[in-house]
Amino acid sequence: MPNFLVAKDLALPDNYSVIELDGHKTQTLRGFYEEIADALAFPEEFSFTLDGLDEMLSDLSWLEDERIVVYISPSELFIEKERNPEKMSTLLNLLDAICEDWRWEEDSEDIRKKELLFAFSDSARIRELLDKQEISYRSN
């Protein structure tokens, strides 16, 4: 099952917690970091870097929810103004890898297993970016 969803409408089962990020505020990587840190209540030690994002999204122990969808809309604005376009591909691949790692994670004393999914409002731009990186996604 793909870790990304490109949605005309976000229809999910009731047992998913949907965290919405405003695409207008995620036009740069820094903006994305700020939005996701606020929405997922990242601990203060978050470093606003790709490594820091990886560390936070690979933990999520402070969240009670077990099934989390991060929904970004409008997606055509997502990381649109980032100066280095290579960072977008790095970010998408990182998010895909983190979601995939959660699939294989076992419950432990330290970390309770989560299901993490990233969803984007439907746009030609986000489809093109995912296709370019050969990242599979579902659409509805």
Side-chain angles (χ1 to χ4, degrees), residues 74-88:
S75 67
E76 63 270 8
L77 300 176
F78 182 60
I79 317 293
E80 179 189 48
K81 294 185 178 180
E82 185 60 42
R83 287 184 226 140
N84 182 349
E86 290 299 312
K87 288 187 178 180
M88 179 58 148

Side-chain angles (χ1 to χ4, degrees), residues 1-5 19 21 26 28-29 31-37 40 42 46 49-60 68-72 75 78-79 86-104 114-120 125-126 129-130 133-137:
M1 183 163 104
N3 301 313
F4 290 91
L5 172 65
I19 307 298
L21 302 185
T26 64
T28 63
L29 200 50
F32 172 67
Y33 291 151
E34 290 172 359
E35 280 295 291
I36 199 166
L40 291 175
F42 283 179
F46 177 51
T49 64
L50 284 170
D51 287 340
L53 181 67
D54 184 12
E55 182 181 334
M56 293 293 118
L57 291 177
S58 296
D59 182 346
L60 300 176
I68 303 161
V69 176
V70 177
Y71 179 61
I72 301 161
S75 67
F78 182 60
I79 317 293
E86 290 299 312
K87 288 187 178 180
M88 179 58 148
S89 60
T90 303
L91 174 62
L92 290 173
N93 282 298
L94 175 67
L95 296 177
D96 191 36
I98 292 167
C99 292
E100 195 61 29
D101 286 348
W102 274 114
R103 286 180 190 274
W104 303 105
K114 307 283 185 191
E115 183 178 331
L116 183 62
L117 175 73
F118 281 85
F120 298 92
R125 180 173 175 270
I126 200 65
L129 289 167
L130 292 169
Q133 293 304 309
E134 298 180 356
I135 296 174
S136 61
Y137 57 91

